[in-house]
């Protein structure tokens, strides 16, 4: 325990811990949105767009994070609006966006001669390279997510329950959907930075899925996904530091274990 | 079953104006018109069936009445107010209870009471203005009215189809509406549940006097409407 406290005194480790803790507590609630709005395919596409953004950022000489942080929310809101406008399901747009982004990412990286190790960083995340700014970003986004649920609790609930119903009540459905997609995009971009492209789900999807196996109401689903998110991210972090394992993978393992256990415990429901 | 004060509040006093008037209305969603030159009139206090085959435009008529779809031609008036501006359309939305056409149980976990509470959105709460204790009392009473008082704390997705429709009806009634629009409430129910729901709606209509429009495919559910409107290829009969 005291070894852990000593480690947390190291700024790099402390930044990483705060980043994971806040992300786990807040971004995880978006999993409930992903499942309720059937956005499984969308979030997968956003990860690929994140790669494109990171590649663009790197090859243009900005940071990978900046690239992803701009491109993913933009793409997210665009897909949300297109879906509403033309009544296309998010999943039928994914083929186009996913392959296109990945192709673009590889072309950009090859063209700019980005070293393979840096490219690997995008896939695996670089949590121990988090700077102050990254931590501030995570905290700001976490606050934004919490605020969105506090201010728009009933409105989000109505939209997730039934879009037509929400419209009939007079809920500003377009704005709510745009806001949710924006937060979702930003969350994917940041999770990319924390645990890498391949493990984004560990933060923003699995805790929510596990919560939905237990919850009988919207509020309890949000709270539970936050609790599971903290256990996965902070727990995974501590295990990783203690046993000298990669943090992203360790958190993803805890997250998967939580979902697996939830499935076992609630089987037959 | 429920307090007299509550019922008085919910009951609509009869008046002479039309509840819904469509006058030469044409409307569509971009690719060609769905309704052309449609005129119809729904009198206050009536239980009206809106019938027609798939794709005839029944749901579209409801969307026009709620101001969710603005016609390309013609005039619409609801509860005595012409739907010309966005303000008019929000005004009617506050006075309409709507039961959407549903198929699947919701993916979102939500208690029955919370789902009914949503019917009050815009009336007494929105965004930072939270639901009050009266809202919750009203939800309980409305659930009692449709015979769902016991199930308030259950997850909506865990109910039977018939119970979900009752919850949806309670949600619409929680708005204390002057006009009730129901889109195919009995379609996915078995015969017994259909009969129960039809009886409930007819009883509530007789009791509360709210103008009620029910979209339905045919007569299999045994409705006894005051009047039937048949929609065929954009026309009404
Ligand atoms: N949002 C929409 N965008 C584009 N076209 C639509 C939309 N909603 C309905 N339509 C089209 O308008 C026509 C009428 O649809 P509507 O839903 O009003 O029919 P309906 O009578 O309610 O049919 P059903 O019995 O199947 O519910 C259909 O051809 C449908 O394809
Ligand atoms: Mg319909």
């Amino acid at each position: 325990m005291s070894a852990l406290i000593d480690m947390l005194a190291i700024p790099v480790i402390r930044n990483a811990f705060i980043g994971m803790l806040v992300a786990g507590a807040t971004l995880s609630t978006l999993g409930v949105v992903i499942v309720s709005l059937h956005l499984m395919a969308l979030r997968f596409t956003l990860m690929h767009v994140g790669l494109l953004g990171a590649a663009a950022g790197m090859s243009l000489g900005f940071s990978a994070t900046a690239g992803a942080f701009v491109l993913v929310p933009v793409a997210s809101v665009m897909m949300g609006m297109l879906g509403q406008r033309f009544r296309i399901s998010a999943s039928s747009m994914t083929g186009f966006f996913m392959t296109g982004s990945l192709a673009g990412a590889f072309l950009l990286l090859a063209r700019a001669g980005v070293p393979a190790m840096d490219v690997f960083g995008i896939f695996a995340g670089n949590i121990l390279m988090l700077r102050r700014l990254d931590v501030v970003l995570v905290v700001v986004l976490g606050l934004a997510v919490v605020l969105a649920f506090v201010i728009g609790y009933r409105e989000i609930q109505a939209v997730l329950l039934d879009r037509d119903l929400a419209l009939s009540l007079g809920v500003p459905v377009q704005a709510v959907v745009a806001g949710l997609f924006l937060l979702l995009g930003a969350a994917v971009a940041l999770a990319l930075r924390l645990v890498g492209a391949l493990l984004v789900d560990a933060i923003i999807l699995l805790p929510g899925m596990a919560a939905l196996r237990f919850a009988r109401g919207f509020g309890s689903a949000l709270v539970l996904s936050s609790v599971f998110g903290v256990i996965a991210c902070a727990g995974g972090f501590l295990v990783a530091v203690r046993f000298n394992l990669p943090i992203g993978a360790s958190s993803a393992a805890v997250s998967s274990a939580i979902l697996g256990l939830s499935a076992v415990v609630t089987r037959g429901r | 079953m429920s307090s007299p004060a509550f019922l008085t509040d919910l009951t609509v006093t009869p008046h002479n104006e039309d509840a819904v008037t469509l006058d030469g209305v044409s409307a569509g969603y971009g690719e060609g018109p769905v309704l052309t030159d449609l005129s119809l009139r729904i009198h206050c206090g009536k239980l009206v069936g809106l019938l027609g085959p798939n794709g005839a435009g029944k749901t579209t008529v409801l969307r026009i009445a709620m101001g969710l779809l603005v016609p390309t031609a013609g005039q619409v008036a609801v509860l005595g107010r012409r739907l010309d501006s966005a303000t008019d359309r929000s005004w009617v939305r506050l006075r309409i209870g709507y039961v959407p056409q549903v198929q699947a149980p919701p993916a979102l976990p939500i208690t029955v009471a919370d789902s009914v509470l949503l019917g009050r959105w815009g009336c007494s709460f929105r965004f930072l203005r939270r639901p009050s204790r009266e809202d919750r009392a009203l939800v309980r009473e409305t659930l009692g009215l449709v015979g769902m008082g016991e199930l308030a704390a259950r997850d909506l997705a865990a109910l039977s189809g018939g119970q979900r429709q009752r919850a949806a009806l309670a949600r619409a009634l929680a708005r204390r509406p002057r006009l009730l629009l129901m889109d195919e409430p009995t379609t996915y129910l078995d015969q017994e549940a259909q009969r129960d729901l039809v009886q409930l709606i007819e009883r509530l209509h007789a009791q509360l006097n709210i103008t009620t429009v029910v979209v339905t495919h045919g007569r299999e559910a045994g409705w006894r409407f005051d009047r039937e409107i048949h929609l065929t290829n954009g026309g009404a009969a």
Side-chain angles (χ1 to χ4, degrees):
Chain A
M1 195 64 209
S2 67
L4 274 176
I5 291 168
D6 286 347
M7 295 206 72
L8 287 177
I10 306 168
V12 187
I13 305 254
R14 199 177 50 230
N15 280 347
F17 183 68
I18 296 172
M20 289 298 278
L21 187 67
V22 173
T26 58
L27 307 191
S28 56
T29 55
L30 293 172
V32 175
V33 174
I34 294 176
V35 175
S36 305
L37 284 182
H38 308 287
L39 299 178
M40 290 298 208
L42 178 94
R43 69 86 179 64
F44 198 55
T45 309
L46 291 180
M47 295 179 206
H48 290 73
V49 175
L51 289 176
L52 176 62
M58 283 167 108
S59 52
L60 291 173
F62 306 112
S63 73
T65 316
F69 207 72
V70 172
L71 199 62
V72 182
V74 169
S76 181
V77 172
M78 241 174 65
M79 284 192 273
M81 295 294 104
L82 282 177
Q84 296 237 334
R85 187 73 193 266
F86 299 104
R87 296 223 153 207
I88 322 172
S89 73
S91 56
S92 37
M93 276 183 285
T94 52
F96 171 75
F97 274 94
M98 211 155 72
T99 315
S101 314
L102 213 51
F106 285 133
L107 289 175
L108 276 175
L109 290 170
R111 196 63 201 274
V114 174
M117 251 341 265
D118 292 359
V119 177
F120 183 73
I122 311 179
F123 285 95
N126 250 332
I127 184 121
L128 291 177
M129 307 252 300
L130 280 198
R131 283 155 307 161
R132 276 284 291 277
L133 180 68
D134 296 307
V135 177
V136 169
L137 267 182
V138 176
V139 172
V140 168
L141 180 61
L143 276 178
V145 169
V146 172
L147 264 183
F149 281 118
V150 168
I151 296 174
Y153 183 79
R154 301 286 166 190
E155 290 72 18
I156 294 172
Q157 195 180 38
V159 170
L160 297 189
L161 180 64
D162 183 337
R163 222 181 62 97
D164 280 339
L165 168 78
L167 281 170
S168 79
L169 295 171
V171 173
V173 173
Q174 289 258 358
V176 171
V177 169
L180 288 175
F181 275 62
L182 187 67
L183 290 176
L184 200 58
V188 168
L190 266 185
L192 202 76
R193 175 85 173 103
L194 295 177
V195 291
L198 301 177
L199 299 178
V200 165
D201 280 353
I203 296 181
I204 67 161
L205 182 61
L206 302 199
M209 283 176 71
L212 285 171
R213 297 205 58 102
F214 295 99
R216 294 213 169 83
F218 184 46
S220 58
L222 295 179
V223 170
L224 262 182
S225 59
S226 174
V227 170
F228 288 152
V230 167
I231 298 176
C233 292
F237 180 94
L238 295 178
V239 169
V241 170
R242 175 72 182 74
F243 298 103
N244 197 22
L245 297 165
I247 291 164
S250 166
S251 303
V254 177
S255 202
S256 311
I258 291 173
L259 180 58
L261 270 177
S262 313
V264 172
V265 171
T266 59
R267 71 185 178 282
R269 259 197 213 166
Chain B
M1 199 160 72
S2 48
S3 74
F6 165 66
L7 274 184
T8 322
D9 226 8
L10 197 60
T11 309
V12 174
T13 20
H15 38 109
N16 290 327
E17 88 218 10
D18 288 326
V20 181
T21 321
L22 265 57
D23 219 343
V25 163
S26 299
Y29 299 90
E31 324 107 24
V34 172
L35 304 173
T36 19
D37 197 21
L38 175 69
S39 298
L40 59 84
R41 201 165 287 267
I42 291 168
H43 295 293
C44 246
K46 296 280 190 260
L47 176 62
V48 174
L50 186 57
L51 288 83
N54 280 120
K58 306 181 293 295
T59 301
T60 304
V61 169
L62 298 191
R63 290 171 58 83
I64 290 171
M66 289 185 286
L68 293 176
L69 184 68
V70 180
T72 49
Q75 269 171 14
V76 185
V78 176
L79 300 170
R81 181 150 170 163
R82 267 180 49 179
L83 303 192
D84 292 334
S85 67
T87 322
D88 300 324
R89 292 189 281 272
S90 333
W91 185 90
V92 299
R93 255 173 243 153
L94 285 180
R95 289 155 181 84
I96 293 178
Y98 172 56
V99 176
Q101 186 172 359
V102 282
Q103 290 97 7
L108 177 82
I110 181 169
T111 62
V112 172
D114 264 5
S115 80
V116 174
L117 183 62
L118 281 180
R120 305 272 320 139
W121 193 91
C123 300
S124 53
F125 66 86
R126 67 172 69 189
F127 294 105
L128 283 174
R129 219 172 118 207
R130 306 269 114 156
S132 64
R133 203 174 298 157
E134 287 89 77
D135 285 317
R136 290 178 198 284
L138 199 140
V139 164
R140 272 194 303 278
E141 284 173 297
T142 314
L143 275 171
L145 199 62
V146 300
M148 294 267 298
E150 312 285 283
L151 301 175
R154 290 273 289 277
D155 184 357
L156 192 64
L159 301 185
S160 73
Q163 290 168 333
R164 261 204 307 282
Q165 285 297 348
R166 279 165 187 256
L169 176 58
R171 184 176 57 218
L173 289 174
R175 218 165 171 69
R176 297 185 174 182
R178 291 182 49 204
L179 174 61
L180 193 56
L181 305 177
M182 310 186 71
D183 202 347
E184 304 199 17
T186 58
T187 299
Y188 299 92
L189 307 181
D190 62 43
Q191 284 204 341
E192 199 185 321
Q194 282 192 0
R195 217 183 36 237
D196 288 351
L197 191 68
V198 169
Q199 275 173 10
L200 174 67
I201 293 168
E202 287 178 352
R203 179 169 64 73
L204 288 174
H205 176 257
Q207 192 177 354
L208 305 172
N209 212 17
I210 302 171
T211 312
T212 304
V213 180
V214 179
V215 166
T216 171
H217 270 298
R219 281 189 208 79
E220 66 279 359
W223 291 96
R224 287 167 303 169
F225 294 119
D226 295 330
R227 194 182 144 215
E228 290 180 1
I229 297 173
H230 293 263
L231 269 191
T232 40
N233 303 334

